[in-house]
Amino acid sequence: LFGLPEQAAHERVLLATDPATGLKAILAVHSTARGPAFGGCRLWHYDTELAALNDALRLSQGMSLKNALADLPFGGGKAVILKPEGQFDRPALFAAFGRAVQSLNGAYITAEDVGTTTADMRGMQAHTPFVSGIPREGAFGGDPSPKTAWGVFVSIQAGVRLVLGRKSLDGVRVALQGLGAVGWHLAEFLHQAGAKLVVADVDAAKVERAVAQLGAVAVPVGEILAADVDVLAPCALGASLNEQTVPALRAKLVAGAANNQLATPADGDALQRRGICYLPDYLVNAGGIISVAREYRGEGEEAAVMAEVSKIGERVEELLQRVQVADSTPARVADDWARSKLVKLA
Ligand code: NAI
């Protein structure tokens, strides 16, 4: 069903509707073995309701693996809101969504994802305490995307050293697909470290800014995945690595923020056969969830969160060691590693 062998493993899926506000949402709780299911909420236009369900199921499963590998005391969940057609009352929509989150009594905790903002999260606070990613006076909190970008950056650093055999990022060519909340911060970190950037985004203004401020070279959206670079960082939407794109890739290392980059597990195998090292998305992009989880637990403090996010680089090293021992692919080894951690915490 839905092309997901593990689909039956989802603990709960709530279909929430509210005709008054136009809310149609899917809240997917994949696993609460490690703790409450934690994962962002996506607001997106889907062609069909089935496509939205598929996205929610895939993303929530990914959150279980992400939270487990990041050693967080949380399970995996994710919500998608089907974007209403035309004009809609955004605060009212998120109030209704907040009530749906509340109806799960803490089994699911929400935060930002593609299409949702810190203001949306703040608005929900009146309806549920099970929300994070909110700027808080006198306390740590807010937009997780700079932390996500930092985790991807330290992963690229580790990969460049261990896979490409280069001492630093100086002069390393990196292609960025997507210059949004995460992609832009990542571009800045890479630029500061001396990397040469090749960029593409469907939003021309973002590309122009990267060219002007970061000396990036712009390429058309359709050419970014096959750019002549050392590293490819997919930071737009999922399934960018598929049957059509993998044969054309020229980078030797792939590490980016986008969730569900591999269209199918076979695409990870195909990358390996082509001698391309793919660092699994849910390992490298955990900085954001580490940030909102710390905020939610009231443990946040900027330096401590950054230190925890920096550990992603060490996990990349450990993964690459495990890959050598297992004689397998990074994607499959990371999956097994994460699944071994999907257990009740003492
Ligand atoms: P965003 O919506 O701010 O940025 C996405 C960017 O990709 C936009 O600038 C958009 O114009 C561009 N884009 C869309 N289609 C494109 C295409 N075909 N080619 C080139 N550019 C394209 O989203 P954000 O927050 O930066 O997230 C990016 C990815 O990272 C998403 O897949 C998200 O799920 C994932 N992610 C984000 C986290 C966060 O902290 N924001 C945490 C973990 C994962």
Side-chain angles (χ1 to χ4, degrees):
L1 202 56
F2 310 120
L4 281 166
E6 300 90 343
Q7 193 267 344
H10 280 78
E11 286 177 20
R12 278 205 247 190
V13 180
L14 173 68
L15 307 177
T17 59
D18 180 58
T21 59
L23 178 77
K24 270 191 189 176
I26 301 163
L27 292 80
V29 174
H30 177 258
S31 166
T32 56
R34 297 178 60 89
F38 208 147
C41 161
R42 180 169 289 194
L43 176 69
W44 195 247
H45 172 79
Y46 292 94
D47 288 338
T48 64
E49 290 171 358
L50 196 59
L53 179 60
N54 196 9
D55 210 23
L57 295 179
R58 271 169 62 89
L59 288 165
S60 56
Q61 180 179 254
M63 287 311 300
S64 289
L65 303 181
K66 186 185 304 195
N67 293 345
L69 262 197
D71 286 329
L72 294 172
F74 291 103
K78 197 96 180 184
V80 305
I81 301 177
L82 290 85
K83 198 169 186 175
E85 299 292 340
Q87 296 283 328
F88 62 94
D89 181 341
R90 192 165 177 121
L93 186 81
F94 278 92
F97 177 69
R99 291 193 293 273
V101 171
Q102 180 62 20
S103 76
L104 290 172
N105 286 318
Y108 168 66
I109 305 161
T110 198
E112 295 90 346
D113 189 57
V114 175
T116 57
T117 66
T118 50
D120 299 328
M121 300 305 125
R122 195 197 295 278
M124 261 192 267
Q125 270 185 308
H127 306 278
T128 182
F130 305 116
V131 56
S132 192
I134 302 162
R136 296 169 197 258
E137 211 154 297
F140 175 80
D143 178 11
S145 48
K147 307 295 184 296
T148 304
W150 183 251
V152 178
F153 175 72
V154 297
S155 300
I156 292 177
Q157 270 186 323
V160 160
R161 196 160 33 83
L162 298 168
V163 179
L164 305 185
R166 308 263 295 249
K167 284 201 184 74
S168 81
L169 274 160
D170 198 26
V172 172
R173 298 164 304 163
V174 184
L176 278 143
Q177 182 194 37
L179 290 166
V182 182
W184 179 261
H185 288 290
L186 177 61
E188 285 184 322
F189 292 140
L190 289 165
H191 175 66
Q192 281 155 17
K196 302 251 169 294
L197 305 181
V198 179
V199 301
D201 195 296
V202 289
D203 183 340
K206 291 178 182 166
V207 172
E208 277 165 30
R209 195 170 146 218
V211 170
Q213 294 183 16
L214 308 175
V217 172
V219 300
V221 164
E223 291 173 20
I224 190 72
L225 295 172
D228 185 10
V229 290
D230 306 298
V231 183
L232 170 66
C235 296
L237 290 176
S240 53
L241 305 172
N242 55 47
E243 255 179 20
Q244 280 76 43
T245 59
V246 167
L249 253 59
R250 286 197 272 177
K252 284 283 168 236
L253 177 70
V254 179
N259 284 309
N260 296 333
Q261 287 167 38
L262 296 176
T264 68
D267 297 307
D269 301 339
L271 283 166
Q272 178 100 335
R273 281 198 298 276
R274 290 213 49 224
I276 300 167
C277 176
Y278 164 71
L279 298 179
D281 43 21
Y282 59 79
L283 169 62
V284 310
N285 73 10
I289 193 73
I290 290 170
S291 175
V292 293
R294 279 248 179 188
E295 172 190 333
Y296 182 76
R297 287 157 61 92
E299 294 171 341
E301 192 257 304
E302 182 72 20
V305 174
M306 287 303 270
E308 194 177 337
V309 174
S310 295
K311 283 192 193 152
I312 294 174
E314 293 160 32
R315 285 196 199 101
V316 167
E317 283 185 32
E318 184 173 346
L319 175 73
L320 293 174
Q321 284 161 7
R322 284 172 178 253
V323 169
Q324 281 189 339
V325 174
D327 191 22
S328 180
T329 71
R332 292 190 187 275
V333 171
D335 262 38
D336 291 345
W337 188 11
R339 281 181 205 287
S340 74
K341 290 178 171 233
L342 278 188
V343 289
K344 265 212 161 15
L345 299 179

